[in-house]
Amino acid sequence: MDSAAVPAFTLMVDCNNFYVSCERVFDATLARRPVVVLSNNDGCVIARSNEAKALEIEIGDPVFKRKDFFARHGVRILSSNYALYGDMSARVMQVLARFSPDVERYSIDEAFLLFPARPPDELRTLAEDIRRTVLRWTGIPACVGVARTKTLAKIANRLAKKTPASGGVWLLDDPADIAARLAQVAVDDVWGIGRRYAAFLRGRGIATALQLARQPRDWVRRHLTIGGLHTVMELGGEPCIPFEENPPPARSLLCSRSFGERVADLGSLEEALSTHVQRAAEKLRQKGLRAGAVQAFLETSRFRPEEYFAHSGCQALAAPTAYTPELHAAALRILRAIYRPGHAYQRIGVLLLDLVPEGARQLTFWDLDVEQPRHKALMQALDKVNATYGRGTLVFAAAGLGPKAWHMRQERRSNRYTTRWAELPVAH
DNA sequence: TCTGGGGTCCTAGGACCC
DNA sequence: TCTGGGGTCCTAGGACCC
């Protein structure tokens, strides 16, 4: 990107308390009270309403430690409902696409929009318009940060969120003003600076975004690698993190879950892994990809470091495939090789690697492993049934039938309001 | 008793080759 | 007395993001 020749502004749109906001759109009783959304397995808090934040409930707080506290303060507790959040996300993105042809969907609740340079007043008006329209059309509140680089736009967004008087919009443009603001932003809150780097920087007396922006570049490059250098340059107003309108195809795909209860026996592990492989294969086909390699892994709880045990194995496939039985066979072979009895496992999963687009398949020398039309037809039929009647209508018997101890807990999930058709219970 | 899941990128170091 | 140097590929691990 040649930023000198084409001055441009990045608008960073970030939905407020996204998961909670989605739930509130469909349940008015959640308004104006503390609400938290839990992780898979109902394990810990992953989203909070402002009222919950005011109670100093933190992301990652384990539910079992705060149960009494939640009850005392009338906190509404919800299991996560990704079908709903994914659908609401798509609606928000559709609204954004009306404002600019250049939209980068950065995460489920965030997007960058690119605009040619224009006067500050106009930018502010535009940002306010976007915010208002998203709220009106989807019911989701959002904040908009505007600046010349993604990293500064992220900071502007944060300022908008933290400053009620901002009206949800913040523009960072004037250099002196930027410096003054960066001096008030903790280095931990800079996009690209995580826990480890923040601790490292603080140990060297670098505590604010402004101090970081003023470090010598070779020093930053040496200690924070190339990514850290880009962050520092962007804090200085030089765009160097590219705008990615069309994200490159996925390189890997992972499906894993923690168990509802600890699992020790190979049979249950096989069932769980089998379930994950089926989901992974389905996602793979949805994206029009094939996997060239399979990795399986299992681990005990990280919260018991003394007993922690983790193991994984990888296997290359003869040819890239999206055929569930083949992926399944590979994953189970790996599991049997890495399984060790005598551990209380907490989590298992499968990672599909070396993904290639469906069309880009190479013939193998023997021409034996080339996908057979029958396989493809079978997978299409399988996906169609599951899409129509709900995931899990057709499953491979290896995944086990009926409720299992290892299934994750999800006791407080809201209805899948927007995608309910696919989730209706099926009479078997 | 009870603590998420799904990604990307970068680097160092070893293997291997010429 | 004396043991090159450089390139590439792969992997594991560590950092980051949401």
Side-chain angles (χ1 to χ4, degrees):
Chain A
M1 179 188 301
D2 190 348
S3 58
V6 188
F9 279 88
T10 297
L11 275 75
M12 206 288 141
V13 182
D14 189 341
C15 301
N16 303 349
N17 315 330
F18 183 60
Y19 295 170
V20 171
S21 297
C22 290
E23 300 286 354
R24 280 179 168 171
V25 169
F26 297 94
D27 183 351
T29 69
L30 297 174
R32 291 178 300 281
R33 53 183 301 174
V35 180
V36 296
V37 175
L38 307 183
S39 60
N40 273 320
N41 228 21
D42 292 348
C44 60
V45 173
I46 56 167
R48 308 157 290 163
S49 69
N50 287 342
E51 297 78 8
K53 289 177 186 172
L55 290 172
E56 297 184 341
I57 298 168
E58 301 298 331
I59 295 282
D61 277 1
V63 176
F64 73 90
K65 282 189 184 169
R66 305 294 301 260
K67 268 225 159 96
D68 295 342
F69 180 87
F70 289 170
R72 234 177 9 256
H73 290 88
V75 178
R76 290 283 299 271
I77 306 170
L78 298 165
S79 299
S80 42
N81 183 348
Y82 289 103
L84 175 65
Y85 311 149
D87 189 63
M88 293 302 287
S89 172
R91 296 180 186 197
V92 170
M93 299 299 159
Q94 275 168 28
V95 174
L96 297 181
R98 300 175 67 100
F99 286 91
S100 169
D102 302 315
V103 178
E104 176 186 338
R105 181 186 201 264
Y106 176 66
S107 74
I108 193 164
D109 67 337
E110 292 171 67
F112 293 103
L113 282 71
L114 200 61
F115 287 94
R118 50 177 88 180
D121 293 359
E122 285 182 35
L123 283 168
R124 195 168 275 121
T125 306
L126 172 67
E128 285 164 358
D129 192 16
I130 290 174
R131 198 186 110 78
R132 207 169 30 243
T133 309
V134 168
L135 180 61
R136 192 174 296 156
W137 291 10
T138 69
I140 301 289
C143 287
V144 186
V146 188
R148 288 177 191 267
T149 68
K150 284 181 159 181
T151 305
L152 286 174
K154 274 278 214 183
I155 287 177
N157 192 293
R158 186 186 169 76
L159 290 165
K161 279 224 170 79
K162 297 264 162 185
T163 317
S166 69
V169 167
W170 198 283
L171 174 65
L172 274 183
D173 188 28
D174 175 68
D177 177 54
I178 291 176
R181 299 296 170 189
L182 292 187
Q184 295 163 349
V185 173
V187 75
D188 316 54
D189 294 329
V190 174
W191 189 44
I193 303 299
R195 270 215 306 279
R196 305 304 282 265
Y197 283 172
F200 169 81
L201 291 167
R202 284 179 177 278
R204 279 152 188 78
I206 300 160
T208 71
L210 184 64
Q211 288 174 308
L212 175 61
R214 294 188 168 165
Q215 294 309 305
R217 293 192 171 175
D218 59 343
W219 183 87
V220 173
R221 173 72 179 79
R222 192 159 62 247
H223 291 101
L224 271 51
T225 79
I226 191 77
L229 178 60
H230 288 159
T231 297
V232 166
M233 290 168 70
E234 288 231 326
L235 286 175
E238 266 179 80
C240 51
I241 300 174
F243 184 85
E244 309 231 32
E245 206 180 322
N246 302 308
R251 302 161 60 87
S252 65
L253 191 162
L254 185 146
C255 281
S256 75
R257 285 283 181 278
S258 292
F259 299 122
E261 291 169 19
R262 300 293 168 264
V263 166
D265 68 292
L266 184 58
S268 295
L269 292 171
E270 286 176 352
E271 286 185 5
L273 184 61
S274 174
T275 307
H276 302 330
V277 171
Q278 288 178 50
R279 275 177 44 238
E282 191 180 311
K283 283 201 232 172
L284 189 67
R285 292 190 291 269
Q286 248 168 35
K287 293 166 185 265
L289 297 170
R290 294 163 197 270
V294 177
Q295 187 179 329
F297 61 89
L298 76 179
E299 65 178 354
T300 62
S301 173
R302 291 172 180 272
F303 294 91
R304 301 191 184 283
E306 332 78 56
E307 305 160 17
Y308 182 68
F309 174 81
H311 206 5
S312 73
C314 190
Q315 189 171 13
L317 300 166
T321 183
Y323 186 54
T324 303
E326 205 171 325
L327 300 167
H328 191 249
L332 286 188
R333 266 198 303 276
I334 297 166
L335 173 58
R336 284 164 195 153
I338 63 176
Y339 172 73
R340 299 288 178 275
H343 296 285
Y345 293 101
Q346 199 235 346
R347 173 187 174 85
I348 193 165
V350 62
L351 179 65
L352 303 181
L353 297 156
D354 297 348
L355 306 189
V356 293
E358 227 172 334
R361 181 167 41 87
Q362 295 172 327
L363 301 184
T364 58
F365 179 73
W366 302 104
D367 218 32
L368 285 174
D369 304 290
V370 173
E371 189 190 47
Q372 298 175 14
R374 282 175 48 220
H375 288 175
K376 182 161 189 169
L378 180 58
M379 291 301 103
Q380 280 172 349
L382 176 75
D383 291 340
K384 197 169 173 193
V385 168
N386 283 332
T388 307
Y389 297 105
R391 176 179 289 156
T393 302
L394 270 185
V395 297
F396 289 79
L401 301 169
K404 298 288 187 223
W406 52 266
H407 284 168
M408 70 174 182
R409 292 185 297 268
Q410 216 185 21
E411 290 160 4
R412 304 154 182 277
R413 204 196 69 210
S414 53
N415 292 324
R416 287 172 176 162
Y417 302 101
T418 61
T419 53
R420 193 156 47 95
W421 161 239
E423 295 295 333
L424 285 175
V426 175
H428 291 282

